[in-house]
Each structure stands twice: as C-alpha cells, then as structure tokens.
C-alpha cells in the first residue's frame, strides 16, 4: 500500500517563500525540475529564455525543466512570492495518463510549444488556500507525508483550473454572442437585466459584455437600447398608439426614461419624431 502511494507522489525539490525589494537581481539559471512560481504581493518581471512576462499579485506560473529563467522585482514595495520545484519519478511519469486528475496539467504543459504556462489565481480560490497551507506545513510542522498530500491536492486544483481555461479557449464564443443577441431581439420588450442572462450562462456580467462586444462591437446594454429605439421608431411611424403605450411595449420602465433615451439616440423627442415623419408623408 505504501509503495503504491509512493509511486504516485512527486519529488518536491524545494518549497520556499521569498521576500525581495527591487534592488534584488537574479542571474539566469536552469533546473532539471518543474518550477512553480506564485506571486503573493508586488510585481515581478519573469524572463523565460529571452521572453519577458510581467507577473502581478495572484499570478501563478509553471515552467518546464531545463528552461533558462530569471526574475526581477519591479514594484516599488517588496514583492512576496512562492517558489516550488518538483519532478516525477519514472514510476509516476509512466502513470501520468492514469493519474490525469492529479497530473493532467503537466500533459497540457508538455503539449504546448511555450516553455511555460501561467494564469491568475483568485484570492479565495482552492489553489490560493492550498498554497498557504503548504507553506505553513513546510515552515511550521514539517510533516513530509502531509506536505506531499497537500501538494497532490494542489496539483488536482491546478489541473482543474487549467482544464477549464483550455476548454474556454476552445469554446466558440461567436455562437454564444449570437445566442445572446437572439435572446435580446426576441425579448427586448421585457425587463431584461444582463446580470440575469449572465447567471443563466454561469458567467459574470463583465465576461458576457466582453464576449458580446468582441463579436458585435457594442455592449449588450447598448444593443438592447438601440433595439428598443428602432422598434419605437416603427411604432411611431406606423401606428397611432399613445407614446406611453409605445414606451411600455418597447420595454422602457417609464415614459420619462423613454423620452430621455429616445432623444439621446435621435436628437428628437418621440412627439417631435412622429410629427416629422407625418410631415414627410404629407
């Protein structure tokens, strides 16, 4: 049983927490192990070969073995960061595919041409708390078995995060943007809130807005208002409906808001617009 567990454990070369100011410099060096760097505070210029990556608080970077690298503190205040070196024993390396829940992130790392992979870690995420726990164990209790278990837990969380990021990269966001537009086109007369749409799509409102704008060039809120104004123009031009009814039919919460938005978009009040259209028809 113990031998089976040993066969899946990584070899932890080092787990260090460093604090440096911008007077500290580091020469290029190379390791025969993977290296994980997590920035807790401050800003760091990290150089991989001749490529510069600016890391800020919350960024996590993993570099492949035998990669020339160095880093410099560039923030005015001191920078705090965690460095972990590790590698897999041949027995573990042979079982990476079987142990993809733990070591799947290494498969992703090895599949890309870049010598590194980095992403941002949310402050209250499992990865963040796991790193804090590993540091505490390494400094205070120094129980090797528990330290290795915590490292496996960290690798599981990193694998999940990287798998999620890779799925996001491959997702067809143009299709999602078109679905959002179609929803607005069919429901502009309702009390649409972008936050509600975002929740149904399991994303933040800012992410939804960015996806929509990247595809259509405008924010979804702006598109919704322009859609409502275009429909209002149709009603004003082709019907004798009261302006208050048109406002309600186009999804505006009040006549005053309708008047304000309509004038902002057209330069005319709804009454002036209708009068102008009727004059043109005479």
């Amino acid at each position: 049983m113990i031998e089976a567990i040993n066969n899946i454990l990584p070899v932890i070369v080092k787990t260090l927490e460093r604090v440096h100011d911008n007077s500290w410099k580091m020469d290029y060096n190379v390791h025969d192990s993977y290296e994980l760097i997590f920035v807790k505070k401050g800003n760091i210029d990290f150089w991989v070969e001749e490529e510069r990556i600016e890391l800020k608080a919350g960024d996590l970077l993993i570099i492949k073995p035998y990669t020339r690298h160095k880093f410099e503190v560039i923030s005015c205040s001191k920078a705090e960061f965690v460095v972990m070196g590790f590698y897999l024993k041949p027995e573990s390396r042979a079982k990476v595919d079987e142990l993809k829940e733990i070591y799947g992130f290494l498969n992703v790392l090895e599949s890309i041409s870049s010598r590194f992979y980095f992403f941002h870690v949310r402050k209250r995420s499992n990865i963040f708390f796991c790193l804090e726990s590993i540091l505490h164990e390494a400094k205070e209790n120094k129980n090797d078995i528990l330290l290795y278990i915590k490292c496996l837990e960290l690798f599981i969380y990193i694998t999940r995060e990287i798998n999620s990021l890779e799925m996001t990269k491959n997702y067809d966001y143009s299709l999602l943007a078109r679905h959002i537009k179609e929803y607005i086109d069919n429901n502009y007369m309702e009390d649409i809130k972008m936050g509600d749409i975002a929740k149904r799509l399991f994303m933040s409102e800012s992410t939804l807005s960015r996806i929509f704008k990247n595809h259509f060039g405008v924010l979804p809120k702006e598109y919704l208002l322009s859609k409502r104004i275009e429909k209002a123009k149709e009603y004003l031009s082709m019907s004798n409906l009261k302006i208050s009814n048109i406002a309600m039919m186009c999804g505006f919460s009040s006549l005053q808001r309708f008047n304000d938005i309509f004038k902002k978009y057209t330069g005319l009040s709804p009454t002036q617009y209708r009068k102008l259209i009727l004059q043109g028809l005479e």
Side-chain angles (χ1 to χ4, degrees), residues 10 23-24 42 45 54 71 100 107 130 136 159 170 179-180 211 215 229 261 263 272-273 276 278-279:
S23 66
W24 178 78
D45 265 355
E54 184 176 339
F71 39 105
K100 59 184 178 182
N107 281 339
C130 203
H136 178 78
T159 292
N170 296 326
H179 281 322
I180 297 168
I211 291 169
H215 193 71
I229 294 301
I261 297 297
K263 190 164 187 177
Q272 291 171 331
Y273 180 84
L276 187 66
L278 291 175
Q279 287 175 348

Side-chain angles (χ1 to χ4, degrees), residues 170-187:
N170 296 326
Y171 189 82
D172 184 359
Y173 282 107
S174 63
L175 179 62
L176 179 59
R178 291 196 296 272
H179 281 322
I180 297 168
K181 179 180 178 295
E182 183 179 350
Y183 179 83
I184 292 173
D185 289 342
N186 294 332
N187 297 277

Side-chain angles (χ1 to χ4, degrees), residues 9-53:
L9 293 176
V11 176
I12 307 300
V13 179
K14 60 184 174 184
T15 304
L16 304 171
E17 185 172 20
R18 291 180 169 178
V19 180
H20 292 292
D21 60 25
N22 55 17
S23 66
W24 178 78
K25 295 287 187 293
M26 169 185 170
D27 293 329
Y28 275 107
N29 64 87
V30 177
H31 306 298
D32 59 359
S33 57
Y34 293 96
E35 191 157 283
L36 179 153
I37 297 94
F38 175 68
V39 183
K40 295 180 66 177
K41 181 181 178 182
N43 296 75
I44 294 172
D45 265 355
F46 196 91
W47 295 82
V48 177
E49 304 295 349
E50 302 303 321
E51 183 174 357
R52 171 180 167 272
I53 308 107

Side-chain angles (χ1 to χ4, degrees), residues 207-224:
T207 299
L208 179 144
S209 296
R210 185 177 68 253
I211 291 169
F212 193 93
K213 186 172 183 178
N214 286 345
H215 193 71
F216 292 110
V218 295
L219 292 170
K221 285 182 179 179
E222 294 170 354
Y223 178 77
L224 172 60

Side-chain angles (χ1 to χ4, degrees), residues 92-145:
S92 301
R93 171 56 71 184
K95 295 183 178 180
V96 163
D97 288 338
E98 296 176 38
L99 302 171
K100 59 184 178 182
E101 282 289 323
I102 302 172
Y103 296 123
F105 73 98
L106 295 181
N107 281 339
V108 174
L109 187 62
E110 296 301 336
S111 71
I112 60 177
S113 58
S114 175
R115 301 297 302 171
F116 64 89
Y117 193 109
F118 86 100
F119 58 92
H120 189 74
V121 175
R122 298 183 305 278
K123 191 166 185 178
R124 301 189 67 81
S125 69
N126 288 326
I127 292 175
F128 180 85
F129 287 124
C130 203
L131 280 164
E132 289 287 301
S133 181
I134 288 171
L135 285 173
H136 178 78
E137 189 61 36
K139 287 191 296 186
E140 303 296 331
N141 301 321
K142 300 180 180 178
N143 184 307
D144 287 344
I145 295 175

Side-chain angles (χ1 to χ4, degrees), residues 47-271:
W47 295 82
V48 177
E49 304 295 349
E50 302 303 321
E51 183 174 357
R52 171 180 167 272
I53 308 107
E54 184 176 339
L55 301 177
K56 60 183 182 301
D59 285 344
L60 185 149
L61 179 142
I62 306 168
I63 60 173
K64 297 177 182 178
Y66 305 105
T67 300
R68 289 177 69 248
H69 64 280
K70 68 175 182 176
F71 39 105
E72 303 171 358
V73 176
I74 58 173
S75 51
C76 296
S77 57
K78 291 182 178 179
E80 299 177 20
F81 52 97
V82 180
V83 180
M84 177 189 290
F86 64 94
Y87 67 88
L88 300 187
K89 292 174 285 189
E91 310 91 275
S92 301
R93 171 56 71 184
K95 295 183 178 180
V96 163
D97 288 338
E98 296 176 38
L99 302 171
K100 59 184 178 182
E101 282 289 323
I102 302 172
Y103 296 123
F105 73 98
L106 295 181
N107 281 339
V108 174
L109 187 62
E110 296 301 336
S111 71
I112 60 177
S113 58
S114 175
R115 301 297 302 171
F116 64 89
Y117 193 109
F118 86 100
F119 58 92
H120 189 74
V121 175
R122 298 183 305 278
K123 191 166 185 178
R124 301 189 67 81
S125 69
N126 288 326
I127 292 175
F128 180 85
F129 287 124
C130 203
L131 280 164
E132 289 287 301
S133 181
I134 288 171
L135 285 173
H136 178 78
E137 189 61 36
K139 287 191 296 186
E140 303 296 331
N141 301 321
K142 300 180 180 178
N143 184 307
D144 287 344
I145 295 175
L146 187 54
L147 183 61
Y148 279 113
I149 290 172
K150 288 180 180 293
C151 286
L152 289 179
E153 183 183 11
L154 173 65
F155 292 167
I156 289 171
Y157 291 138
I158 289 176
T159 292
R160 290 176 180 175
E161 183 68 19
I162 288 180
N163 284 344
S164 176
L165 290 170
E166 290 302 302
M167 286 178 64
T168 299
K169 287 180 185 176
N170 296 326
Y171 189 82
D172 184 359
Y173 282 107
S174 63
L175 179 62
L176 179 59
R178 291 196 296 272
H179 281 322
I180 297 168
K181 179 180 178 295
E182 183 179 350
Y183 179 83
I184 292 173
D185 289 342
N186 294 332
N187 297 277
Y188 66 88
M189 70 294 295
E190 305 294 339
D191 181 22
I192 295 178
K193 290 183 173 60
M194 296 305 148
D196 293 339
I197 299 176
K199 284 179 183 177
R200 285 198 288 270
L201 295 172
F202 302 102
M203 63 177 61
S204 67
E205 185 176 345
S206 60
T207 299
L208 179 144
S209 296
R210 185 177 68 253
I211 291 169
F212 193 93
K213 186 172 183 178
N214 286 345
H215 193 71
F216 292 110
V218 295
L219 292 170
K221 285 182 179 179
E222 294 170 354
Y223 178 77
L224 172 60
L225 287 176
S226 65
K227 179 72 178 180
R228 286 172 170 170
I229 294 301
E230 288 305 310
K231 296 304 293 186
K233 285 180 179 179
E234 290 181 22
Y235 286 128
L236 289 167
S237 304
M238 302 170 63
S239 75
N240 294 319
L241 290 168
K242 291 182 179 180
I243 291 176
S244 58
N245 288 344
I246 292 174
M248 185 172 60
M249 291 167 65
C250 291
F252 289 96
S253 56
S254 68
L255 178 59
Q256 183 61 53
R257 176 160 173 76
F258 174 52
N259 286 333
D260 292 343
I261 297 297
F262 193 93
K263 190 164 187 177
K264 178 182 176 181
Y265 273 74
T266 67
L268 301 168
S269 70
T271 302

